[in-house]
Amino acid sequence: MDKQMIYEKLLELVKKENVKVDEMLKNHLYTKLGGKADFFITPTTFEEIQNVVKFSNDENIPFTLLGNGSNLIIKDGGIRGIVINLKELNNISTDGNTIVAQSGARIIDASRHALKENLSGLEFACGIPGTVGGALYMNAGAYGGEIKDVLDYAFVIDKEGNLVKRLASDLDLDYRTSNIDKNKDIVIEATFSLKPGNYEDIKAVMDDLTYKRESKQPLEYPSCGSVFKRPPGYFAGKLIQDSNLQGTSIGGAEVSKKHAGFIINKDNATTSDYIRLIEHVQRTVKQNFGVDLEREVRIIGEDPS
Ligand code: FAD
């Protein structure tokens, strides 16, 4: 199927204003990195997603899910096939002590919603700049809390395009990982089980965590958060700091002077700058301390031709 035919078929499946061709991904991602997607679609219903998955299966066209791009680096050559972004599916509602959030909602907004409803449990997520879908995928966590602690179940669209309920225990949630990628599930909605709390107490915790984050993290620049996982027995940031790498830059990418575990997009970095700097940090830490830094952040897409 040629590009024009794929475009015409997508217009039958998703509203015209929600289908873009050769869309620059860096404009949609927190990192402000990444080349073009052949097709960038923002479905507005679960049925639209199901139909796109079935179409891509039938025609053998790859598709890729993007959240807010706060834990993902997309290469400068972009992504072939269909990129699906669920930002239009962002409703959050309350049902007793549970909160139901569509996967394109920001996890920060789910946390604020819980506060408004005097529900406790999502305070840890108040500064994580990802979507609900991305947070489940990564089992996002901070300051002693993680998605695993509060997720009851999720609705996903499986690789055949079926709508399926997955209990939290089905998702193999572990430190910054789940089986969502392996199963090729698309998370579309999550139900969080919370506890009744007191507004002022919940707000005090969130204010404290926000203060800690703002004082330690370089939030004034685009970045992908902590680049590396915590190596057993060490802290990635400390190893990088002790290797005198803070302030080191390649092109527009720089190891943050404020938080050694972050690499910031300081000045219109390309993904290639970013990746070269990540590799430089890994090599230097290995030479100095013999420790392998494993990336937390995913790198996907094509090298530029
Ligand atoms: P993306 O980066 O867009 O995608 C990540 C992965 O999830 C991709 O593989 C994508 O395909 C997949 N995905 C996205 N949506 C779906 C979906 N609906 N269904 C299936 N797969 C999907 N992380 C923490 O855990 N704790 C922190 O404290 C934290 N602090 C951060 C601070 C900063 C300043 C930044 C930039 C990042 C931080 N992160 C943190 C990392 C990041 O915000 C989280 O991992 C977040 O959960 C990623 O969500 P996203 O929507 O941005 O996902």
Side-chain angles (χ1 to χ4, degrees):
M1 223 182 198
D2 70 18
K3 206 165 170 181
Q4 182 61 26
M5 285 165 78
I6 298 174
Y7 178 60
E8 281 163 20
K9 183 66 191 175
L10 284 174
L11 292 185
E12 290 172 22
L13 304 177
V14 182
K15 290 190 201 85
K16 186 167 194 269
E17 63 270 28
N18 301 112
V19 181
K20 302 250 182 323
V21 180
D22 290 333
E23 182 71 1
M24 211 51 188
L25 290 171
K26 68 197 238 179
N27 298 332
H28 296 275
L29 303 174
Y30 192 91
T31 50
K32 299 280 176 255
L33 295 170
K36 289 177 181 168
D38 291 342
F39 301 97
F40 182 83
I41 64 165
T42 49
T44 55
T45 66
F46 298 165
E47 292 73 26
E48 286 180 355
I49 307 170
Q50 288 178 282
N51 291 336
V52 170
V53 169
K54 287 175 185 158
F55 165 62
S56 92
N57 286 344
D58 290 347
E59 299 300 332
N60 215 4
I61 302 165
F63 70 83
T64 306
L65 252 290
L66 281 191
N68 196 32
S70 61
N71 208 20
L72 194 62
I73 298 178
I74 294 171
K75 291 187 180 175
D76 297 315
I79 297 184
R80 302 290 72 79
I82 304 168
V83 167
I84 306 177
N85 178 275
L86 302 183
K87 65 181 175 187
E88 299 289 337
L89 289 163
N90 56 19
N91 188 55
I92 304 173
S93 58
T94 315
D95 182 8
N97 291 339
T98 65
I99 283 189
V100 182
Q102 290 184 332
S103 67
R106 298 187 319 155
I107 192 76
I108 290 177
D109 290 334
S111 176
R112 288 181 188 152
H113 184 97
L115 167 67
K116 205 172 61 159
E117 300 285 343
N118 302 325
L119 290 171
S120 173
L122 270 175
E123 293 89 328
F124 75 89
C126 69
I128 299 178
T131 60
V132 168
L136 264 62
Y137 180 102
M138 295 298 296
N139 185 28
Y143 302 110
E146 58 182 351
I147 290 293
K148 190 180 177 182
D149 303 334
V150 283
L151 182 71
D152 194 354
Y153 59 88
F155 278 103
V156 306
I157 291 172
D158 73 8
K159 59 179 185 248
E160 269 88 43
N162 304 308
L163 187 62
V164 180
K165 182 176 174 177
R166 300 247 193 260
L167 299 177
S169 53
D170 297 333
L171 294 176
D172 289 349
L173 298 166
D174 208 337
Y175 176 60
R176 301 300 165 266
T177 173
S178 70
N179 62 17
I180 292 169
D181 185 37
K182 197 177 89 203
N183 291 340
K184 306 214 173 315
D185 281 343
I186 299 177
V187 179
I188 52 169
E189 192 179 273
T191 295
F192 299 107
S193 197
L194 305 176
K195 292 197 173 67
N198 170 281
Y199 182 92
E200 293 306 329
D201 294 345
I202 299 169
K203 185 163 185 312
V205 173
M206 287 169 66
D207 287 348
D208 179 46
L209 297 185
T210 303
Y211 172 75
K212 284 189 177 131
R213 214 174 256 282
E214 285 176 354
S215 54
K216 289 199 183 119
Q217 298 183 356
L219 302 179
E220 56 282 23
Y221 292 105
S223 76
C224 53
S226 297
V227 178
F228 305 103
K229 293 189 181 185
R230 200 173 48 229
Y234 298 91
F235 288 101
K238 178 90 171 69
L239 295 170
I240 296 167
Q241 192 179 344
D242 292 348
S243 298
N244 293 321
L245 283 163
Q246 284 181 280
T248 304
S249 62
I250 293 183
E254 182 181 287
V255 180
S256 167
K257 291 176 190 146
K258 194 165 174 185
H259 187 312
F262 279 53
I263 292 181
I264 54 173
N265 180 352
K266 191 169 182 194
D267 185 15
N268 289 313
T270 62
T271 307
S272 150
D273 297 336
Y274 229 81
I275 293 174
R276 282 165 55 217
L277 189 52
I278 289 173
E279 288 169 354
H280 175 68
V281 169
Q282 286 173 316
R283 266 195 313 273
T284 310
V285 166
K286 177 79 177 172
Q287 270 164 16
N288 289 346
F289 300 103
V291 178
D292 288 308
L293 288 181
E294 187 193 340
R295 266 191 288 108
E296 173 178 318
V297 63
R298 282 190 73 204
I299 299 177
I300 59 170
E302 312 279 322
D303 288 316
S305 47

